[in-house]
Amino acid sequence: MRNLGLVASSCGGLDTRFRAEIAEPAAARGWRLAITLTPTAARWLAAADEIGKLAALTDLEVRSESRLPGEPRPHPDPDVFLFAPASANSVAKLALGIADNQALTVVGDALGDPAVTIVVGYQVRDERSGHPAWQRHLDALSSAGVRLFRLDESWSTALQGLPA
Ligand SMILES: Cc1cc2nc3c(=O)[nH]c(=O)nc-3n(C[C@H](O)[C@H](O)[C@H](O)COP(=O)(O)O)c2cc1C
């Protein structure tokens, strides 16, 4: 079973759509899910009573916090990541190399390793394209080999970016 680093940040619809449209279909396709959430995403999913339901899809713990020094690493190192939904905030921080939470740490560590596939499906307001740094962030990630696209009506289309 191939490991998939499944990462999510706090975008509208996360609490109702992430499990049904991304996590469950990915598990159904045979991926072993290593789920890591931003702190805000974890708070939203906990409030919606979703964390246990996500945990039931995998034998790996659902993470949102860093381990303590001396604790074993709870996730393997996947060679495929799907970061979806990714917020404007997380896309910008990833492009800049900021790793101030566990989600950005795992993806940021993998970014730049040519052996790792990273797919990012972002959900942002139309106005975001007017931000002076937005296109540069997308370009920085694309030039590093990240497969980037904007999520559309069905978040499940994000799975099409994954290797077969
Ligand atoms: C109800 C709600 C919906 C949101 N939806 C989005 C969204 O779809 N995309 C986005 O970029 N930010 C959205 N935000 C703002 C992010 O949650 C906010 O920028 C947050 O700091 C992102 O943190 P994270 O990337 O660490 O999860 C939303 C906020 C709220 C309260």
Side-chain angles (χ1 to χ4, degrees):
M1 198 179 241
R2 198 164 175 194
N3 296 313
L4 175 66
L6 180 57
V7 179
S9 54
S10 55
C11 293
L14 180 82
D15 48 342
T16 55
R17 302 179 65 185
F18 176 61
R19 176 167 55 88
E21 296 184 32
I22 295 185
E24 286 177 344
R29 290 181 190 201
W31 293 98
R32 180 187 187 215
L33 305 182
I35 300 174
T36 307
L37 307 168
T38 66
T40 307
R43 191 163 64 89
W44 289 12
L45 290 171
D49 198 24
E50 281 288 311
I51 301 290
K53 294 168 187 163
L54 290 168
L57 300 174
T58 174
D59 62 316
L60 298 167
E61 73 177 63
V62 177
R63 299 190 71 184
S64 58
E65 294 179 355
S66 61
R67 66 187 168 94
L68 289 172
E71 282 183 344
R73 301 174 72 230
H75 283 179
D77 288 325
D79 58 8
V80 181
F81 282 89
L82 173 59
F83 192 164
S87 68
N89 172 62
S90 284
V91 168
K93 290 201 288 188
L94 186 62
L96 292 171
I98 294 170
D100 62 352
N101 61 51
Q102 188 59 33
L104 289 168
T105 298
V106 288
V107 186
D109 282 350
L111 191 63
D113 180 344
V116 179
T117 300
I118 300 177
V119 178
V120 174
Y122 57 86
Q123 176 173 282
V124 299
R125 293 163 61 98
D126 290 341
E127 292 77 6
R128 181 56 50 170
S129 58
H131 187 285
W134 178 245
Q135 192 56 51
R136 282 203 300 277
H137 293 323
L138 298 182
D139 292 345
L141 292 170
S142 290
S143 66
V146 175
R147 301 178 190 175
L148 277 163
F149 60 94
R150 191 172 182 179
L151 290 175
D152 59 21
E153 288 303 308
S154 167
W155 286 5
S156 295
T157 55
L159 299 172
Q160 292 168 10
L162 299 178

